[in-house]
């Protein structure tokens, strides 16, 4: 059995990751691929409970504790869901993964890169391809304004989100072979078409736009 493929979608708040992850999973299924759509933090019953704690509005945790909670959820998710799906030959589409922790807890909250990479090493899994969705601040704000309520990260100030965006850009510059930047402004269909073009070029024969 062929090994599966692990693709993540990353980006700041309001970039449209969840929408585009669903659309990508559906497009892969139409192309005849076995697909698992999942998210972080979350993906298992235990990790979803940690997600609820991490996203609950309020002061949250000190940055190191918050980082460790994200990695605890990730360890559960990878062991129980992602690795088995990849071993079964599935395409795993994940809404956020370790790059979000690097950007939010590292870039946004100042956790040292050495700490983040040590924890990432314990997980021992990186995506084959990461789609970094980049929305302009005005577009992201417009999308967030349409939501019923904001979680703790969405409610943080503009300076925090600017640091996160800068961290994501630095990650993309450091790993251009894995991380592909995608313009996330414009209608959903246009963004989905840009993602489809990346997939078609990267996985020729395995994915057909449409």
């Amino acid at each position: 059995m062929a090994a599966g493929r692990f693709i993540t979608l990353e980006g700041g708040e309001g970039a449209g990751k969840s929408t585009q992850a669903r659309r990508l999973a559906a497009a892969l299924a139409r192309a005849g691929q076995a697909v698992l759509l999942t998210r972080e933090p979350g993906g298992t019953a235990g990790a979803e409970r940690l997600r609820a704690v991490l996203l609950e509005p309020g002061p949250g945790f000190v940055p190191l504790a918050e980082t460790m909670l994200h990695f605890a959820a990730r360890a559960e998710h990878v062991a129980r869901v992602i690795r088995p799906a990849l071993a079964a030959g599935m395409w795993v589409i994940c809404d956020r993964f370790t790059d979000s922790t690097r950007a939010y807890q590292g870039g946004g909250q100042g956790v040292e890169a050495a700490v983040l990479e040590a924890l990432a090493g314990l997980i021992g899994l990186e995506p084959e391809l990461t789609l970094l969705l980049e929305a302009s601040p005005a577009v992201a704000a417009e999308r967030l304004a349409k939501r019923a309520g904001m979680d703790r990260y969405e409610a943080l100030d503009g300076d925090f989100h600017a640091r996160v965006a800068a961290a994501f850009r630095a990650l993309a510059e450091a790993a251009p072979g894995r991380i592909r930047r995608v313009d996330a402004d414009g209608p959903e269909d246009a963004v989905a078409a840009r993602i489809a073009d990346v997939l078609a070029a990267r996985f020729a024969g395995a994915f057909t736009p449409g």
Side-chain angles (χ1 to χ4, degrees), residues 52-110:
V53 171
L54 284 162
L55 270 60
E56 182 179 13
F61 299 86
V62 298
L64 180 58
E66 191 165 305
T67 298
M68 295 176 77
L69 285 171
H70 277 285
F71 274 103
R74 182 163 299 129
E76 180 80 357
H77 188 204
V78 168
R80 294 187 182 274
V81 175
I82 296 177
R83 286 196 186 278
L86 292 173
M90 301 182 74
W91 291 60
V92 177
I93 309 301
C94 191
D95 180 356
R96 295 197 183 281
F97 197 63
T98 305
D99 289 317
S100 275
T101 314
R102 292 173 174 128
Y104 278 70
Q105 280 65 55
Q109 296 180 325

